Amino acid sequence: MRYQNEAFRHRERLLLDTALDCFKRDGWEKVTVAEVAAAAGIAKGTVYKHFLSKESIYAQLALEFSRACLRRYLTVPVGDHPLETMRELILLAFNLMREHPVEVQLSLHCERPEFQQRLEPKLREAFQSLDRQYTQLFNDLLDAAVKQGEIERKPSEPLYWGVDTMFQGVMARIAAGGFGEWREPVDLDAYFHHVANFIIAGIHGASPASDDDTEAQSC
Amino acid sequence: MRYQNEAFRHRERLLLDTALDCFKRDGWEKVTVAEVAAAAGIAKGTVYKHFLSKESIYAQLALEFSRACLRRYLTVPVGDHPLETMRELILLAFNLMREHPVEVQLSLHCERPEFQQRLEPKLREAFQSLDRQYTQLFNDLLDAAVKQGEIERKPSEPLYWGVDTMFQGVMARIAAGGFGEWREPVDLDAYFHHVANFIIAGIHGASPASDDDTEAQSC
DNA sequence: GTCATATCATGACCGCTGGTCATTATGAGG
DNA sequence: CCTCATAATGACCAGCGGTCATGATATGAC
């Protein structure tokens, strides 16, 4: 009884790893469950003893990547210049994405509500939990920046919208394979650098009281 | 000969319209070619006299939407405050997206290089042509802003990266169905407003020199 | 009106997919 | 060694996008 359990778990890891390899080699959309199973030396039916569906595999891989990234971010110490730390984190995130385009594609795919509602509740909650942790990370950093006097205190949510949107955009860009049909070749390093600047500028300058509008109930 | 030709073109329009209706009602991923054909009162095989593939239908609908948007943008006059015009355009774009989420989903789907390379060259070129026109629109606006002294002259491409990324992000958000699992309900109007501010702030402040980021407080 | 011809519409058919489940193989316990 | 619970298997299914031989229809000459 013990041995079988061990073997079962081992197979699950093997399947996830194999699936990711296949996705990286041939594109996650094209790879079939049968191919993954064959590559792992396992019958197709067995895959469904471990995962409810192919999409469930997508979700687990996306979750693992997201968790690994978060773990990495949390090791970065917040110095005396939280906004610089934020820039550092942003660039770190972009580089992690660049190194793992397939995982980024999967993440984008799995974030869609339409996808999530098909998903088993357990995994859906895992996604939500991660979202919360990322929001927390951002808010902590923003608070630190306020405390250090780098920015004025203002509602954090609109700023998070901006940053989140920017991240979505970069993910879409990376998932799309960079600047495929762009006018001229684009260096991803330069792109990352400028986008990071754009974000920091947005945080500095966005939406305090510029002109019209009805928010600003800060504090 | 004349009648048949007319009827053929009419069918093509009918098919596109019907397909869009079906996509809006049941989700563009789930709808099958047979369903679209049935809804249009046409046999499945006939669909393939008009379109090389289901993806080709996606592409044509995305193109039509993109063209319609561009046409709309071009009617907005550039006043004495180009950056305000840009904000206006940005908000117009966001509202168009909100009113046409399915078209946004299709656009995102069709922009992916992997998708485009499967596409018939004619349609691919249409996408590239549109891209060029959008870039042009942005550059013209930026030039005008420089001429009016609203911003300093600086390389436009990095700024376009930022704006493009932001748009990708908003499209992803809208395609995802808004803020599905967000902490608390988010008003899209407020979201649009703040994101537009974020973009304008980014344009003002982003990336003038190497790593110097603080600048460009609102006027 | 009628027939020959060119053109188009049709739906049975194909290969392939994700997913199922009755059957078979295998380890654990007496 | 035998029994039994449990896990692995792959033939099988329904449904998909896409094809193509066949049948229907408009056209133009007479």
Side-chain angles (χ1 to χ4, degrees):
Chain A
M1 202 80 165
R2 194 45 174 248
Y3 166 78
Q4 290 197 347
N5 225 319
E6 289 271 330
F8 192 83
R9 290 192 183 206
H10 180 69
R11 266 209 219 277
E12 186 147 330
R13 257 266 59 87
L14 179 68
L15 267 173
L16 283 173
D17 293 340
T18 308
L20 189 54
D21 282 347
C22 291
F23 294 165
K24 281 179 177 167
R25 185 169 49 248
D26 302 323
W28 59 279
E29 287 182 307
K30 285 179 55 184
V31 174
T32 71
V33 175
E35 278 167 11
V36 173
I42 284 172
K44 181 173 137 187
T46 308
V47 174
Y48 289 90
K49 304 282 182 186
H50 295 270
F51 307 100
L52 283 191
S53 65
K54 195 191 184 189
E55 294 194 325
S56 186
I57 299 178
Y58 292 158
Q60 301 223 22
L61 288 174
L63 278 171
E64 285 189 356
F65 176 65
S66 188
R67 275 194 275 254
C69 287
L70 182 61
R71 241 179 284 126
R72 181 76 185 278
Y73 303 150
L74 292 175
T75 66
V76 174
V78 180
D80 290 341
H81 303 284
L83 276 193
E84 269 316 303
T85 306
M86 188 174 295
R87 181 200 301 277
E88 206 179 311
L89 280 175
I90 291 171
L91 287 172
L92 172 58
F94 290 172
N95 280 306
L96 283 174
M97 292 181 196
R98 168 165 49 179
E99 285 163 30
H100 302 277
V102 172
E103 288 89 333
V104 171
Q105 288 167 357
L106 290 173
S107 294
L108 275 182
H109 186 75
C110 296
E111 268 174 16
R112 294 153 45 228
E114 177 198 346
F115 177 93
Q116 297 240 348
Q117 95 186 40
R118 285 196 291 268
L119 216 55
E120 31 193 315
K122 202 172 152 191
L123 293 181
R124 205 181 332 169
E125 281 155 22
F127 276 107
Q128 289 177 34
S129 162
L130 268 168
D131 264 356
R132 252 174 278 132
Q133 292 178 68
Y134 275 108
T135 309
Q136 182 77 48
L137 176 60
F138 175 77
N139 283 335
D140 289 350
L141 224 43
L142 212 60
D143 278 347
V146 170
K147 283 213 179 66
Q148 294 285 339
E150 291 191 320
I151 55 174
E152 321 167 21
R153 159 146 269 126
K154 44 192 165 188
S156 70
E157 217 183 9
L159 291 182
Y160 190 59
W161 293 342
V163 176
D164 177 79
T165 302
M166 214 63 185
F167 265 80
Q168 290 266 341
V170 172
M171 288 175 73
R173 175 99 281 147
I174 288 175
F179 293 83
E181 304 288 354
W182 222 249
R183 311 302 306 280
E184 43 196 83
V186 173
D187 174 37
L188 271 186
D189 276 319
Y191 171 67
F192 290 164
H193 178 83
H194 286 293
V195 169
N197 276 346
F198 203 98
I199 295 177
I200 301 292
I203 290 177
H204 263 119
S207 79
S210 45
D211 40 356
D212 50 333
D213 188 344
T214 66
E215 35 65 61
Q217 286 86 338
S218 37
C219 310
Chain B
M1 202 80 165
R2 193 44 175 253
Y3 168 77
Q4 289 197 348
N5 224 318
E6 290 272 328
F8 193 84
R9 291 192 181 204
H10 180 69
R11 265 207 221 276
E12 186 146 331
R13 257 269 57 86
L14 179 68
L15 267 173
L16 284 172
D17 293 340
T18 308
L20 189 54
D21 282 347
C22 291
F23 294 166
K24 282 180 176 167
R25 185 169 48 249
D26 302 323
W28 60 278
E29 286 183 308
K30 285 180 55 186
V31 173
T32 71
V33 175
E35 279 168 10
V36 173
I42 284 173
K44 183 173 137 186
T46 308
V47 174
Y48 289 89
K49 303 283 181 185
H50 295 269
F51 307 99
L52 282 191
S53 66
K54 194 190 184 190
E55 294 193 326
S56 185
I57 299 179
Y58 293 158
Q60 301 224 20
L61 287 173
L63 278 171
E64 286 189 354
F65 176 66
S66 188
R67 275 194 274 253
C69 287
L70 182 61
R71 241 179 285 128
R72 180 75 186 276
Y73 302 150
L74 291 176
T75 66
V76 175
V78 181
D80 290 342
H81 304 282
L83 275 193
E84 269 317 304
T85 305
M86 188 174 293
R87 182 199 302 275
E88 207 179 309
L89 280 175
I90 290 170
L91 287 172
L92 172 58
F94 290 172
N95 280 306
L96 284 174
M97 291 179 195
R98 167 165 51 179
E99 285 162 29
H100 301 277
V102 172
E103 287 89 333
V104 171
Q105 289 168 356
L106 290 173
S107 294
L108 276 182
H109 187 75
C110 296
E111 269 174 16
R112 295 152 46 226
E114 176 199 345
F115 178 93
Q116 296 240 348
Q117 95 188 39
R118 283 195 292 268
L119 216 56
E120 31 194 314
K122 202 171 149 190
L123 293 181
R124 205 181 332 166
E125 281 155 24
F127 276 108
Q128 289 178 34
S129 162
L130 269 168
D131 265 357
R132 252 174 278 132
Q133 293 179 66
Y134 275 109
T135 310
Q136 181 76 48
L137 176 61
F138 176 77
N139 283 335
D140 289 349
L141 225 43
L142 214 60
D143 278 347
V146 170
K147 281 212 180 68
Q148 294 285 338
E150 292 191 320
I151 53 174
E152 320 166 22
R153 158 147 270 126
K154 43 192 166 188
S156 70
E157 218 182 9
L159 291 183
Y160 190 59
W161 293 343
V163 176
D164 177 80
T165 302
M166 214 64 184
F167 265 80
Q168 290 265 342
V170 172
M171 288 174 72
R173 177 99 279 146
I174 288 176
F179 293 83
E181 304 289 353
W182 222 249
R183 313 301 307 280
E184 42 196 81
V186 173
D187 173 36
L188 270 186
D189 277 318
Y191 171 67
F192 289 163
H193 180 86
H194 285 293
V195 169
N197 276 346
F198 202 98
I199 295 177
I200 300 293
I203 290 177
H204 263 120
S207 75
S210 50
D211 63 342
D212 153 25
D213 53 280
T214 55
E215 189 175 339
Q217 264 36 346
S218 42
C219 20

